[in-house]
Amino acid sequence: MNKYMEVATNLARENLKTNNGGPFGACIVKDGKIIGKGANMVLGTNDPTAHAEVVAIRDACKNIGSYDLTGCELYTTSYPCPMCLSAIIWANIKMVYYGNAMDEADDIGFRDEYIYNYIKGINKDTIKLETMDREETIKLFNEYKEKTDKTIY
């Protein structure tokens, strides 16, 4: 077994004993060194965003003092859900190694396909999105556009 996938798997295995979340673990590696680790902590923290990949990204960013994880690899026990994929992309991670496939997560009760269907235009009643007060909120965007000391990410 790959040593980094073994770390992710052990995090998930330990997590099963705690009931903090599902059987998911992840670690982030840069230049051959683990810089972030995480297990699914959704139940233990009452935080629906505390998936293993997001927890590992938060840990890695804290450890290196940057939001940019360019050059890192992520090892995770399952194909990342849509939220985690988005976080991985925003963090600039270009390589993800995963163990179990999306349909295997579905088989044990996780509903990633539900969100993918929403993105595809199916299940549009999942959430209602409506524009409000754009006349005021666009002013913030315009102010930001004019800033000379901003960092684009």
Side-chain angles (χ1 to χ4, degrees):
M1 175 176 239
N2 174 281
K3 66 181 179 179
Y4 303 121
M5 187 60 84
E6 186 174 10
V7 168
T9 300
N10 287 337
L11 286 165
R13 184 173 286 113
E14 286 301 311
N15 203 47
L16 287 178
K17 298 174 187 173
T18 68
N19 291 323
N20 281 324
F24 304 100
C27 72
I28 297 175
V29 176
K30 185 167 188 172
D31 300 325
K33 180 182 175 197
I34 295 173
I35 63 167
K37 297 189 281 188
N40 184 294
M41 301 299 292
V42 170
L43 301 176
T45 60
N46 292 316
D47 178 355
T49 68
H51 290 197
E53 296 89 343
V54 172
V55 172
I57 288 169
R58 291 173 181 162
D59 187 44
C61 290
K62 180 185 77 166
N63 289 335
I64 67 167
S66 176
Y67 62 87
D68 186 357
L69 298 178
T70 297
C72 293
E73 300 171 335
L74 188 142
Y75 295 79
T76 181
T77 55
S78 184
Y79 187 88
C81 76
M83 177 187 69
C84 292
L85 280 173
S86 296
I88 291 163
I89 291 167
W90 285 123
N92 294 314
I93 297 171
K94 303 294 185 203
M95 188 68 229
V96 176
Y97 298 97
Y98 65 92
N100 298 308
M102 185 185 348
D103 60 331
E104 292 164 318
D106 182 61
D107 189 47
I108 61 169
F110 291 86
R111 56 190 181 137
D112 298 3
E113 190 63 30
Y114 185 71
I115 296 171
Y116 284 116
N117 283 338
Y118 174 77
I119 292 167
K120 292 175 190 173
I122 305 167
N123 299 338
K124 279 300 183 187
D125 60 341
T126 299
I127 185 172
K128 184 175 180 182
L129 300 170
E130 185 175 314
T131 304
M132 177 183 281
D133 295 329
R134 183 184 176 278
E135 303 81 23
E136 288 301 313
T137 59
I138 194 65
K139 291 176 186 175
L140 296 168
F141 280 37
N142 290 333
E143 286 178 39
Y144 184 78
K145 191 187 310 185
E146 299 302 318
K147 284 180 60 102
T148 58
D149 62 342
K150 64 185 173 217
T151 301
I152 303 294
Y153 46 92

